[in-house]
């Protein structure tokens, strides 16, 4: 982060509804994010995230993939936009494009993602359906640092919830999404406060190695990973 800047600048990348973006915006509005969302980028013109950014008066950039069919061209444009904007942290919030290794490496340790499962379980798509099919008793969401391998970066914070016998994909997805809205602002705030760092895929929280993700418990408390 630039020495002259008071708080880190965050760029949020999103393709969909943007409810996680909204949770971050609301947290920022309450003065509780320790960072400033200064740019929102989407590959989809109709993305709710762009509408939410505009409504909040934040620069909203539509970068359509069809103009840049090669992944590397698209990612170069993306990286340029992020650099031009002085983004300190890139926050992936339902950005439905796989990023090139170059792009991920350019922001190594400065890119977070939220994934709707308890990583390393159910990497990839259709996580709620897969949790139901596998009869998982517990499901949830994970905030993790991004590494070149998809959904394989170290998890820093998880939300866990019970899977009920009557759950459908829709009910499970809604419960997990509510949990996402709790954990993403916390993890982003930790980063902005300088409490959370990732170097060479090793996560440090408050200067201690984080060997397993922190978990948001049912009563809203944060449980730290047990020391080994
Ligand atoms: C969330 O479920 C998130 O875990 C996944 O994409 C979805 C984005 O939802 N990566 P929204 O656009 O923030 O509502």
């Amino acid at each position: 982060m630039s020495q002259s800047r008071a708080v880190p600048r965050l760029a949020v990348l999103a393709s969909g509804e943007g409810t996680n973006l909204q949770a971050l915006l609301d947290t920022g509005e309450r003065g509780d994010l320790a960072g400033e969302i200064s740019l929102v980028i989407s590959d989809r013109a109709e993305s709710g995230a762009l509408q939410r950014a505009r409504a909040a008066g934040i620069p909203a950039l539509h970068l359509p993939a069809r103009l840049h069919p090669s992944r590397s061209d698209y990612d170069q444009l993306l990286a340029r936009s992020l650099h031009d904007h002085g983004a300190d942290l890139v926050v992936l919030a339902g950005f439905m494009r796989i990023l090139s290794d170059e792009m991920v490496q350019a922001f190594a340790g400065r890119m977070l993602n939220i994934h709707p499962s308890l990583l390393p379980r159910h990497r990839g798509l259709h996580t709620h359906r897969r949790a139901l099919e596998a009869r998982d008793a517990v499901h949830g969401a994970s905030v993790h640092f991004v590494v070149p391998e998809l959904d394989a970066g170290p998890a820093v914070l998880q939300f866990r919830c019970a899977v009920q016998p009557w759950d459908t994909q829709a009910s499970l997805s809604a419960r997990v999404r509510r949990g996402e809205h709790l954990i993403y602002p916390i993890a982003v705030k930790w980063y902005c406060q300088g409490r959370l760092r990732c170097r060479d895929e090793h996560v440090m929280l408050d200067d201690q190695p984080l060997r397993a993700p922190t978990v948001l418990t049912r009563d809203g408390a944060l449980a730290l990973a047990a020391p080994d």
Side-chain angles (χ1 to χ4, degrees):
M1 185 174 70
S2 139
Q3 293 298 318
S4 56
R5 213 178 278 152
V7 294
R9 289 168 78 100
L10 315 178
V12 179
L13 274 51
S15 304
E17 257 188 274
T19 64
N20 278 284
L21 167 66
Q22 192 64 55
L24 292 164
L25 287 170
D26 293 346
T27 307
E29 191 63 30
R30 292 196 300 274
D32 203 24
L33 197 59
E36 177 201 355
I37 301 175
S38 53
L39 178 65
V40 173
I41 299 179
S42 183
D43 54 332
R44 300 202 180 142
E46 68 284 6
S47 157
L50 290 178
Q51 292 169 25
R52 292 172 195 270
R54 290 186 193 112
I58 289 168
L61 188 58
H62 173 217
L63 291 184
R66 74 191 144 72
L67 299 181
H68 304 275
S70 100
R71 187 180 308 285
S72 119
D73 280 1
Y74 186 89
D75 283 4
Q76 277 178 28
L77 182 69
L78 196 55
R80 207 172 319 128
S81 308
L82 294 168
H83 283 307
D84 289 351
H85 220 79
D88 296 304
L89 176 70
V90 179
V91 180
L92 304 181
F95 192 56
M96 297 306 287
R97 287 182 60 85
I98 293 176
L99 298 172
S100 60
D101 290 4
E102 294 72 26
M103 172 75 193
V104 173
Q105 266 141 15
F107 289 91
R110 297 194 295 136
M111 192 184 281
L112 289 172
N113 182 39
I114 188 149
H115 182 77
S117 81
L118 295 174
L119 290 172
R121 203 158 167 73
H122 305 313
R123 287 158 57 178
L125 296 173
H126 311 302
T127 57
H128 308 304
R129 188 181 76 205
R130 287 157 62 202
L132 288 172
E133 283 169 359
R135 299 185 185 280
D136 289 352
V138 180
H139 186 46
S142 309
V143 178
H144 66 96
F145 278 100
V146 177
V147 300
E149 195 180 343
L150 190 66
D151 300 330
V156 300
L157 180 55
Q158 291 184 324
F159 166 79
R160 293 187 186 175
C161 59
V163 180
Q164 305 294 350
W166 53 84
D167 264 327
T168 61
Q169 280 188 60
S171 65
L172 196 50
S173 154
R175 191 174 315 127
V176 168
R177 193 74 59 95
R178 285 196 295 276
E180 293 180 11
H181 301 162
L182 299 175
I183 58 172
Y184 218 1
I186 295 173
V188 168
K189 181 180 179 180
W190 284 348
Y191 185 92
C192 292
Q193 292 174 319
R195 297 177 55 191
L196 181 65
R197 288 290 171 259
C198 181
R199 197 157 291 147
D200 300 329
E201 302 190 17
H202 295 292
V203 177
M204 304 284 287
L205 180 63
D206 294 334
D207 297 324
Q208 300 295 320
L210 192 64
R211 296 197 173 84
T214 308
V215 175
L216 186 74
T217 60
R218 267 165 57 126
D219 59 5
L222 289 169
L224 277 173
D228 45 25

